[in-house]
Amino acid sequence: MWVVGTAGHVDHGKSTLVEALTGTNPDRLKEEKLREMTIELGFAWLKLPGGGTVGIVDVPGHRDFIENMLAGVGGIDGVLFVIAADEGIMPQTREHLAILDLLQVKSGIIVLTKVDLAPDEDWLKLVEHEVREFCAGTILENAPLVRVSAPSGQGIEALKVELARMLAITPERKDLNRPRLPVDRVFSVSGYGTVVTGTLIDGCFKIGDEVVVLPGGTRSRIRGIQTYNQKVNEAPPGSRTALNLTGIDRDQVTRGDVVAHPGDYATSGRMDASVFLLKDAEVELKHNAEIKFFTGATEVEGHVRILGVPSLLPGEQGFAQIELDHSVVAVKGDRFILRRPSPPATIAGGVILDPSPKGRHKLNDPAVLVRLRRSMVHSPNEDLLAVFDKIGISSEAAILQSLRANGEETRRLIGELVADGELISLENGGLARESQLISRTQFNSLTRKAIEILRTYHDKNPLKRGIQRGEFKARLGLQTAPFNRLVQIWLNQGKIQQAGQGLSLPEHMVRYSPAQQKKVDDLLAKFNASPYSPPGMGECVQMIGEVLVESLIESGALIKVAPDVLFTPAAVVKMSDFVREYTASSTPFTVGEFRDRFQSSRKYLLAFLEYLDELGATRREGEGRVVMHPEKLPASR
């Protein structure tokens, strides 16, 4: 799946072209149709020749709506750069190409529209020559050019073929197991609730995933997913995606927010960046200048602190700290655009080098400038993290053996990654050669998988307190040692809880229906009426069913001392207290004494005494028993 965007001057036929390609009019607002001008982002999709689906983001061309246009081009794989044959290159044509260049959009096709309005062939050749000169030195320098007349359909099939050819050599979006959806539209659907849309990057979302809306931090869950108007269970990276979110109101999400898994991303209002000032920028970029910052679908006002020089001149690249009025989600390597607030104009762009520096840098600190220059080169830390992401849980020793790398340097990098929280030690935070380590990405993924396993288990087994550790370990696909360490971390974090001998989600509680509760109450009344000669297992199952009986045993409401013998905890404690009286006695107590005290049959009392033998509290001697370990006798809590 791919996503392409349109770009070009207002009224050059972008929306008409999209409708001719897809059969869908992307202008969805009444005002847009009245004015015949795209104001907000529009969306459509088509099947490519030879297969494959491509989503198309139709962006506004008018200068008043440039900032809406920026929300649409952040996640595209390519561009349809539209120029009308009857008008040629216009102001927004120039600004849109500058933006595409700054964002380093991978590929594109120049679409010469309205060719039916050109006076003659010579005119078309002249416009094409002008366009080629205009695109020289940009990402579109070698782009194919297709002539189109949308009303007549001329060139539409040729454009589809060219589009398929372009996307066939476009690299697929990486699945980093850390999905994020920059929200470019929010709306409500009657009966479903809040829906957000965007281009999904860096991972997959699945129905049922717990998510957080950043930077606000509102929690939600994915109720439904659509990609290209089709309901799906999972959305892959690079797809136009609509998420139906539960438990969240329409006004709790705005364009520019990011939907992600909890813990995957942090927010920041300050970031280090490499900045390039456009060659045709009208003025220099001065220190502390006011700017509008755009990345993904986000738009935030702020200031830019120029580092190392007093200002950047048109055509210059430099380093800066961008300080924003509100926190945003940003990742190293994300590209951005800077616009001047007044008079509004696109002036610069660049790439984020550190999304959350520890503080303000001194303006002329040589060490900072050296570090920023180095960070523009591919980081060894990223290579090391990629190895951990690939192999999962591993130790420093195993990594050194696998990489055959410099031991001292790799150990240093591992230490840095642990300190930064990108690697997590499963040894209570400690770090040694045999310490089990996992990347934060993999840890978050396993945490989500664990929660989903427990949620599914609770849904299927609502009367069980929790899943047994062995079954949980098998479903997670982990070895015993790392499983036990991860469980302890999740317990410490409150992600899961101990539930008897098993594990459960903190919010899970066994709840009986009124009918089930009535059956349970009737059974327990029989136990209380005859605590030392209670109903046997068979009678219990006949009265309330095997599932409810197992639930009572698991919850501790009944204690199973033998295959067919159950007692209430109160009865077990009273019988244990009788046995405890013989702790200091050298004479064994007999079954007869036990029977006389509790007026019960040998069937029940022998079963209970053998139960104490198994606990190690008593030992049989001849016809009687002696107390061996009184501390192992059941006691009231």
Side-chain angles (χ1 to χ4, degrees), residues 98-114:
I99 290 169
L100 296 170
D101 238 19
L102 290 170
L103 293 175
Q104 290 292 288
V105 173
K106 301 181 185 75
S107 55
I109 300 170
I110 302 168
V111 185
L112 198 62
T113 57
K114 303 187 180 183

Side-chain angles (χ1 to χ4, degrees), residues 65 85 100 102 118 130 152 173 197 225 263 277 300 312 329 337 342 349 366 426 441 503 505 565 589 609-610:
F65 308 121
L100 296 170
L102 290 170
E130 179 188 25
S152 69
R173 293 293 182 117
T197 71
I225 302 176
L277 189 62
V300 186
L312 289 180
V329 174
I337 296 293
S342 181
L426 303 185
T441 299
L503 299 163
L505 292 175
V565 179
F589 65 90
L609 292 175
E610 288 171 357

Side-chain angles (χ1 to χ4, degrees), residues 441-472:
T441 299
Q442 288 289 328
F443 175 79
N444 289 341
S445 177
L446 272 174
T447 302
R448 287 192 295 272
K449 183 178 179 181
I451 291 171
E452 188 57 36
I453 288 170
L454 290 175
R455 184 175 292 114
T456 301
Y457 184 85
H458 294 329
D459 288 343
K460 292 182 177 179
N461 304 278
L463 300 184
K464 289 184 177 290
R465 292 181 66 190
I467 191 172
Q468 294 302 302
R469 283 179 174 248
E471 183 179 352
F472 193 33

Side-chain angles (χ1 to χ4, degrees), residues 35 37-39 60-70:
R35 297 175 61 179
M37 177 193 299
T38 301
I39 300 170
H62 193 277
R63 60 183 178 139
D64 292 343
F65 308 121
I66 285 286
E67 291 170 1
N68 287 348
M69 175 266 185
L70 283 166

Side-chain angles (χ1 to χ4, degrees), residues 90 101 116 210 235 255 263 308 492 496 573:
M90 300 294 282
D101 238 19
D116 54 312
E210 183 182 1
R255 187 166 77 185
N492 294 341
I496 63 176
V573 168

Side-chain angles (χ1 to χ4, degrees), residues 102-163:
L102 290 170
L103 293 175
Q104 290 292 288
V105 173
K106 301 181 185 75
S107 55
I109 300 170
I110 302 168
V111 185
L112 198 62
T113 57
K114 303 187 180 183
V115 294
D116 54 312
L117 300 181
D120 50 39
E121 178 65 22
D122 288 340
W123 176 279
L124 288 174
K125 289 181 178 179
L126 183 63
V127 172
E128 287 184 2
H129 179 72
E130 179 188 25
V131 168
R132 287 299 184 191
E133 285 190 339
F134 169 64
C135 292
T138 73
I139 62 162
L140 297 177
E141 181 171 18
N142 299 312
L145 187 150
V146 180
R147 295 181 181 184
V148 167
S149 170
S152 69
Q154 177 187 343
I156 294 298
E157 291 307 314
L159 179 56
K160 289 181 180 179
V161 171
E162 203 61 61
L163 188 57

Side-chain angles (χ1 to χ4, degrees), residues 463-466 499-501 510 512 520 524 527-528 547-561 566-573 611 634-635 637:
L463 300 184
K464 289 184 177 290
R465 292 181 66 190
Q501 298 299 311
V510 174
Y512 300 135
V520 167
L524 293 180
F527 272 84
N528 293 329
V547 173
L548 278 178
V549 173
E550 291 297 332
S551 175
L552 290 173
I553 293 171
E554 187 184 31
S555 68
L558 293 177
I559 297 175
K560 186 177 182 179
V561 302
L566 305 170
F567 290 108
T568 64
V572 167
V573 168
Y611 168 71
R637 297 178 181 177

